[in-house]
Amino acid sequence: MVTVNAMGDKCPVPVIKTKKALDALTAPETIEVLVDNETAVANVTKMAQSTGAAVTQEKLGEDEYKVTIQALAGEGTQTAAAGAVCDCVPTGDTVVVISSDKMGRGNDELGKVLIKGCIFAITQLDELPKKMIFYNGGAKITCEGSDSLEDLKNLESQGVEIVTCGTCLDYYGMKDKLAVGTVTNMYDIVESMNNAGKIVKPC
């Protein structure tokens, strides 16, 4: 029996923890995943079922759930997290383009939580994108005070090129606040997008 404690973890961490536990298996095994919300239950269930595993759910108490996975030996889990609601970037020779410090439309605070979770999810991919481009409001994410700096520095250390539009930094008065990656220009942005095998724009 393997237990994954994801209590208190925000999306997409429960899925990522479960995926890592599945990938580590060398023989069929039962995995119990503990989470504190129904969205995590749904995401973990969907990901695990996509590997061919049998999955059951149980509510243990107020804000306490258990997902039981009768797992295979790591088969099919390398891309299984793509089935989770919060996964936002496919694998491959990909350029990620981020144009806002918020993801989606609606509540701005929720949007900031979502874009932070999206960037963290990128750090957990088996195959990282080639390049990440930040422009307009997205330029704020690469500057001092951003909640995503640690994740972006992690990506940069693994070879992901992080670039931010210089015109945007100037507009927001943040050129001296850039904390990760390098400054780029619109020609480089257009050229990178034109030559990309795939472009992903989560916001």
Side-chain angles (χ1 to χ4, degrees):
M1 174 80 70
V2 176
T3 299
V4 175
N5 187 351
M7 296 290 291
D9 291 334
K10 295 180 179 179
C11 175
V13 177
V15 169
I16 290 168
K17 283 185 174 181
T18 306
K19 179 180 179 295
K20 288 182 176 180
L22 287 165
D23 287 344
L25 296 180
T26 57
E29 180 65 272
T30 299
I31 298 177
E32 289 187 347
V33 185
L34 303 177
V35 296
D36 61 7
N37 64 85
E38 292 183 355
T39 299
V41 171
N43 284 342
V44 169
T45 297
K46 186 174 182 180
M47 185 274 292
Q49 287 177 336
S50 72
T51 72
V55 184
T56 58
Q57 306 98 0
E58 180 182 356
K59 184 171 184 178
L60 303 178
E62 186 69 22
D63 298 327
E64 186 177 0
Y65 303 84
K66 179 174 70 174
V67 180
T68 303
I69 304 167
Q70 302 297 329
L72 305 176
E75 295 181 8
T77 61
Q78 293 301 312
T79 58
V85 172
C86 283
D87 186 58
C88 49
V89 181
T91 60
D93 188 1
T94 301
V95 172
V96 178
V97 178
I98 296 180
S99 62
S100 175
D101 61 344
K102 297 174 281 291
M103 187 174 181
R105 297 179 179 178
N107 183 275
D108 286 351
E109 289 304 312
L110 174 59
K112 290 180 178 180
V113 171
L114 294 178
I115 195 62
K116 182 178 185 299
C118 178
I119 292 171
F120 173 73
I122 294 172
T123 70
Q124 302 298 306
L125 291 174
D126 296 312
E127 188 173 352
L128 299 175
K130 179 180 180 180
K131 190 171 190 175
M132 295 182 69
I133 300 171
F134 295 82
Y135 62 85
N136 208 327
K140 300 175 185 178
I141 297 176
T142 58
C143 292
E144 294 174 8
S146 167
D147 290 337
S148 294
L149 286 182
E150 183 177 347
D151 290 330
L152 291 175
K153 289 178 180 179
N154 178 15
L155 287 165
E156 187 176 45
S157 72
Q158 296 182 72
V160 178
E161 187 179 359
I162 310 291
V163 298
T164 303
C165 169
T167 300
C168 304
L169 290 170
D170 284 338
Y171 180 85
Y172 289 112
M174 303 182 74
K175 199 160 190 176
D176 60 341
K177 303 294 185 182
L178 186 67
V180 61
T182 59
V183 177
T184 192
N185 57 75
M186 188 53 65
Y187 180 82
D188 178 69
I189 290 173
V190 172
E191 186 177 48
S192 296
M193 293 170 67
N194 184 60
N195 294 333
K198 185 178 296 182
I199 298 172
V200 174
K201 192 174 184 295
C203 59

